[in-house]
Amino acid sequence: MERTLILVKPDAMQRGLAGEVISRLERRGLKIVGMKLLHMDETMAKKHYGIHEGKPFFNDLVEYIISSPIIAAVFEGTKAVELVRNTVGATNPLDSAMGTIRGDFGMEIGRNLVHGSDSLENAEKEISLFFSSQELVSYDRDIDRWIIES
Ligand code: IDP
Ligand code: MG
């Protein structure tokens, strides 16, 4: 079972779409194993997006992610990393399929509503930036056998 990090970004928070974003991931079958509301500071933003340092959009990206409180959550499920990325949609909402979060609610790449880790390796790193191991909760749901074959 994989775990992956999602962020409900400032634009989704300000637009009142946090519930919609989380609900879509939940309805996919994913299980919430960690969640918090926080306001990222510049140091944390630069760490989270460190891979993009030096790119032309980096400063704007940091400004964007620290511009409002966000929700950070860890979702668990079969192939959770890929499942979340597919539910979120392509980076640029212009290219995101309808039915994806970005495809249904987004207009511009710099306001694309949600973050999802792009690999298992990055998911592990990103989760540890936002959550301590005590803040992640392992539990069973009775419904899981109707979502997961074995
Ligand atoms: P991802 O969020 O789909 O994984 P990344 O390429 O990792 O996309 O980029 C991280 C974030 O940086 C994007 O979600 C978006 O907010 C922002 N971003 C990426 N490329 C651009 C760009 O060309 N212009 C403005 N912002 C960008
Ligand atoms: Mg990315």
Side-chain angles (χ1 to χ4, degrees):
M1 208 57 54
E2 289 182 9
R3 285 181 173 183
T4 189
L5 181 87
I6 73 108
L7 302 177
V8 180
K9 290 178 170 182
D11 48 335
M13 297 297 293
Q14 293 288 329
R15 291 172 61 188
L17 292 170
E20 176 76 33
V21 168
I22 292 159
S23 178
R24 283 178 177 225
L25 295 165
E26 254 192 316
R27 282 184 293 167
R28 200 82 207 259
L30 291 154
K31 178 163 68 182
I32 300 166
V33 296
M35 185 172 283
K36 63 172 71 168
L37 177 76
L38 76 155
H39 200 146
M40 285 173 82
D41 63 15
E42 199 179 318
T43 306
M44 192 175 185
K46 285 183 170 165
K47 223 181 247 181
H48 174 68
Y49 279 127
I51 198 165
H52 298 298
E53 203 158 357
K55 293 184 186 168
F57 59 85
F58 182 68
N59 289 342
D60 289 341
L61 176 58
V62 169
E63 283 303 307
Y64 164 48
I65 205 69
I66 68 174
S67 64
S68 164
I70 58 165
I71 288 173
V74 178
F75 279 89
E76 185 180 276
T78 310
K79 299 258 185 193
V81 170
E82 214 181 327
L83 202 76
V84 165
R85 296 279 295 184
N86 289 343
T87 309
V88 166
T91 304
N92 190 340
L94 201 56
D95 305 321
S96 311
M98 288 194 62
T100 64
I101 296 167
R102 288 166 173 168
D104 287 350
F105 299 107
M107 187 180 282
E108 295 190 2
I109 193 167
R111 296 287 182 271
N112 64 1
L113 302 135
V114 50
H115 168 82
S117 309
D118 66 1
S119 67
L120 200 50
E121 191 190 344
N122 286 336
E124 278 165 20
K125 282 188 205 152
E126 292 174 3
I127 289 168
S128 66
L129 182 63
F130 286 85
F131 293 90
S132 68
S133 53
Q134 297 98 306
E135 290 173 323
L136 300 174
V137 183
S138 294
Y139 62 101
D140 293 320
R141 296 183 306 190
D142 292 343
I143 201 166
D144 279 340
R145 70 192 178 97
W146 300 107
I147 301 169
I148 297 157
E149 191 178 354
S150 58

